[in-house]
Each structure stands twice: as C-alpha cells, then as structure tokens.
Amino acid sequence: MEIKETTEQSTIPTDDSKYSMQTHMIYGKNVSRKWDYSHHVVAPISSSVIFRLDSVERGAEGFREFANSKMLGEESIPIYIYDRLGEPNKDMLEENLAYIERGEMAVTFATGMGAISGILGVLTKSGDEIITHKTLYGCTFSLLNNWYPRYNIKFTPLDLTETASLKDIITDRTKVIYFESPSNPNLDIIDIEEIRRICEEVNSKRIAGNFIHIVVDNTFATPYCQRPIELGADFTIHSLTKGIGGFGTDMGGVVIGPSKYQDLILLYRKDFGAVLSTKAAWTVSTYGLPTLHLRISQQIKNAIVAAEFLNTHPKIAFVNYPGLPEYKFHELAKKQMRDYNNNFAPGSLIYFGLKGKDSIERKEN
Ligand SMILES: *Cc1c(COP(=O)(O)O)cnc(C)c1O
C-alpha cells in the first residue's frame, strides 16, 4: 500500500545511516509519518519548544511571517520556530476562543494578569490615562495603582454604573476604558452599549489611531453568558484559569479583539514573555471548552437556588445576584447577559453580606 505524504515534513528525506546510535537514542527517528495533526480527534499535546526548520530559507521565512498576518494568509500553514513565538496547541485554542467570544482574533497568555498586562501594554504608553470602574479584581487594581505610575500611566477609578460624569472625566490622554461586568467581587453590572455610545461621541472628534478603546474583563460571565464585543467592547479579556478552564488544574488568559491588533499583541507577548504553556492550552481545549455550556448552565441553575435561599435568610443583609429580580442591576443584566440561545444567563457567582456590627452592608450599599 502506498502511503500518501500529506505534510511537508514527511517528505523530507533523512539518511538515518548518517547518525550514530547515541544520536538516535536522543532524537529517535527524526521524521515520522505517525504524527497526524489533521486527523487526531483530540489534538496531541505539543511538547516541543523548538521546531525543525530544515533549511535556512525556511527559517528566514518563518521569522518574516511571525506576527505578520499580511504575509501569513488565514489558510497557510504557519512555520513554527520556538514556543514563545507560537506553536499548534495555543494557535488551535485561540481559533476556538475567538469564535465563541465572537471576536476576530484571540491571543492567549500565561495567566489572566498576563492578558490584562498585554492588552493595556499594547494600548497605552507613557503619559496616557486609563479610566476604570471603581471595583476591580485586586491584582488588576494593584497593576494600575502600584506599577503603572512607574511608566507615567495614570489611572482614574470611577463609578461606571453611573455614566453621567464619564464624559467630563475623559481627557485627550484617555486611551482605555477598562472594567469587569459583572465586577469582581461585588457583581456590579456596567452598561456596555452606553459606554460604547459615549466613546463613539469622543472618538468622532479624534483622529484615527488616537481612539479610546473599551476593554472588558469577561471572566465572571464567560462567553457562555455574555459576549461584550457584540455589545460594543473593542476587546474582551479572560482569565482562562476560572470559568473557561473550569477544572482548576491550569492557569491561562486571553485577549480577544479586532484582527488588526493581533500582530502587535503577538510581538508584545513574545517580548514580555507571559506565554501560555502548551499543556495548559491543551487542557483548556480538551476539557474546558467542550464542557463550558454544561458546567455553566448547571451552575446558573444552582446559583439561582442558592441566591433565593440567601435572599430570604434572616441573617443575610443583602444578596447581589444578577438573576434576582430585586437586584438593582437585574434589568441591565437581563439585557446583556444572554446565552447562545438568547436566554437570560445571569452567571454562577453570588455576592452577599451577613448582618451584624461588622457587616459590609454599610460599605457597599
Ligand atoms: C482571577 C481573575 C483575574 C486574573 O486571572 P489569573 O489567571 O489569576 O491571572 C482577572 N480578572 C478577574 C475578574 C479574575 O477573577
């Protein structure tokens, strides 16, 4: 039977007799037909940091094509060089993440914080300003509050659930509006379409290249419950460590957004180095994404029961849950938190306070 050679690699002749037995023991049979990425149902885990380039020309082409989407068409086979630049497990995960978040492209990172640093690093430079919602994930706050002053990047926290003052706070130097919705931990909901409307007004008076971008941390909702890009965000970021990864075994992050930013984000990731490991990419692709709808839809059912129980409990001061009709952001949540079948998907997280003298009720409400 004739075996048809389908990949470029398998056509490369190797003269095994040229190598000593010791070399064979280290590298095995260098080129094999047994690796069949296009027909494995579950993708193999790539554990190769470096990739064989076969010729100087192929190497040069690989370096020219890296982060150069104009050269590398959608359909062409990438030339992998070194894991920090790119490899198959991450690339395949990125295709799937962009698709489920309804964005044009995705770039993964080692952690959620890697993704946040990545997108903010690409969108800002010294002298710029970032406006955020007043409640932020703790490490995002620390990044902006403790580290960004060193780069002369200012950050202004604001209550973005009230957009009346936003236009007055925006300056010529404002480059990013950044928030979580629902926010971690107190589940504030921010009207993404309204923030978009305000940004459009401001951007219409700016020259292209100097626009304000909206970045939404969609970690709490997951794309199952909400797709901020459809509502007007420019970029979505996720901690893959949480809902998307789902099993608590690996860390990861992702930035999803317009294709024209992909090259810049890849270059940033290459140089700042927060690259997702192939094993983590494989775990998210193999276990996280295929179970996302089952896990989140069941978690929503459970959360509704738990939130209703807490809501009537005599020792509970308040319950913030987007699915509770009494919750002050319920109507807004109903508008923007929708699953793929357009059902209300209020998410799986609940924030509540206990009654008592140290209750956080006074601080929060
Ligand atoms: C956990 C979390 C992050 C950070 O993600 P890591 O993967 O831990 O770096 C960012 N945003 C939100 C809302 C989170 O909950």
Side-chain angles (χ1 to χ4, degrees):
M1 194 181 81
E2 254 246 285
I3 295 171
K4 232 182 158 271
E5 293 178 339
T6 51
T7 66
E8 199 188 326
Q9 278 187 1
S10 59
T11 64
I12 296 153
T14 45
D15 180 359
D16 289 337
S17 64
K18 274 200 323 210
Y19 302 106
S20 72
M21 188 53 89
Q22 282 92 323
T23 304
H24 276 276
M25 283 179 180
I26 294 167
Y27 294 110
K29 195 172 180 302
N30 240 325
V31 176
S32 168
R33 292 193 175 116
K34 305 214 188 286
W35 192 254
D36 186 8
Y37 244 122
S38 50
H39 295 95
H40 280 93
V41 172
V42 176
I45 301 181
S46 170
S47 268
S48 189
V49 169
I50 45 168
F51 292 79
R52 194 184 314 112
L53 290 168
D54 298 320
S55 68
V56 175
E57 289 74 21
R58 191 177 141 83
E61 198 184 328
F63 278 109
R64 272 200 306 275
E65 282 179 3
F66 172 69
N68 193 347
S69 44
K70 269 201 244 62
M71 271 189 80
L72 185 69
E74 194 111 298
E75 295 306 317
S76 49
I77 299 167
I79 298 175
Y80 294 120
I81 300 168
Y82 186 66
D83 184 342
R84 186 156 39 71
L85 277 61
E87 57 67 46
N89 288 120
K90 280 191 275 295
D91 281 13
M92 288 190 291
L93 174 62
E94 286 165 1
E95 282 181 346
N96 287 321
L97 287 169
Y99 187 77
I100 66 168
E101 191 74 45
R102 306 248 163 91
E104 290 175 4
M105 66 85 202
V107 178
T108 54
F109 284 85
T111 63
M113 287 315 302
I116 294 167
S117 311
I119 188 58
L120 294 181
V122 162
L123 294 178
T124 60
K125 58 181 183 337
S126 176
D128 288 346
E129 296 175 6
I130 300 170
I131 293 174
T132 74
H133 182 50
K134 64 181 167 56
T135 306
L136 285 174
Y137 175 66
C139 299
T140 307
F141 178 82
S142 174
L143 175 74
L144 294 167
N145 194 57
N146 297 330
W147 296 99
Y148 272 36
R150 291 189 182 200
Y151 308 117
N152 190 29
I153 297 167
K154 191 177 148 200
F155 112 93
T156 309
L158 196 70
D159 183 356
L160 289 179
T161 68
E162 298 289 337
T163 47
S165 62
L166 177 58
K167 259 188 84 177
D168 302 329
I169 303 288
I170 291 174
T171 75
D172 290 345
R173 291 164 169 250
T174 306
K175 291 295 165 56
V176 176
I177 297 181
Y178 181 98
F179 53 90
E180 299 147 14
S181 183
S183 65
N184 181 348
N186 63 346
L187 307 180
D188 283 343
I189 308 277
I190 288 148
D191 190 337
I192 301 169
E193 285 173 347
E194 178 61 13
I195 304 277
R196 173 86 260 159
R197 199 188 56 72
I198 294 165
C199 278
E200 284 298 304
E201 252 184 80
V202 178
N203 285 344
S204 69
K205 296 183 195 95
R206 291 190 178 192
I207 51 162
N210 197 35
F211 288 162
I212 301 183
H213 289 100
I214 302 167
V215 180
V216 177
D217 181 339
N218 199 31
T219 300
F220 266 25
T222 81
Y224 181 86
C225 299
Q226 176 176 268
R227 279 116 5 239
I229 290 169
E230 289 183 326
L231 299 164
D234 294 293
F235 295 92
T236 298
I237 75 93
H238 281 280
S239 168
L240 299 175
T241 319
K242 312 287 175 52
I244 293 181
F247 287 79
T249 54
D250 293 275
M251 302 202 79
V254 66
V255 174
I256 298 154
S259 303
K260 63 177 181 200
Y261 282 89
Q262 185 167 21
D263 294 345
L264 207 55
I265 300 171
L266 283 171
L267 288 168
Y268 186 99
R269 183 179 73 176
K270 165 178 80 73
D271 295 337
F272 284 78
V275 171
L276 184 68
S277 89
T278 62
K279 283 89 169 175
W282 183 86
T283 309
V284 176
S285 300
T286 308
Y287 301 122
L289 292 186
T291 59
L292 184 72
H293 68 295
L294 291 172
R295 290 184 288 106
I296 306 294
S297 59
Q298 185 60 48
Q299 284 172 12
I300 291 171
K301 287 187 191 137
N302 298 350
I304 289 170
V305 175
E308 280 168 357
F309 168 79
L310 292 167
N311 204 31
T312 53
H313 197 286
K315 292 190 173 173
I316 301 292
F318 69 92
V319 182
N320 292 359
Y321 179 63
L324 282 180
E326 300 90 324
Y327 186 42
K328 63 177 166 180
F329 298 118
H330 178 72
E331 286 307 318
L332 178 56
K334 252 168 63 182
K335 186 178 82 167
Q336 53 188 30
M337 298 184 79
R338 314 296 298 192
D339 69 17
Y340 293 103
N341 295 319
N342 203 27
N343 300 310
F344 181 32
S348 54
L349 287 137
I350 302 169
Y351 179 77
F352 62 94
L354 304 179
K355 283 184 185 162
K357 68 173 166 51
D358 296 323
S359 171
I360 51 176
E361 182 182 15
R362 267 166 288 146
K363 279 182 237 152
E364 285 300 328
N365 290 350

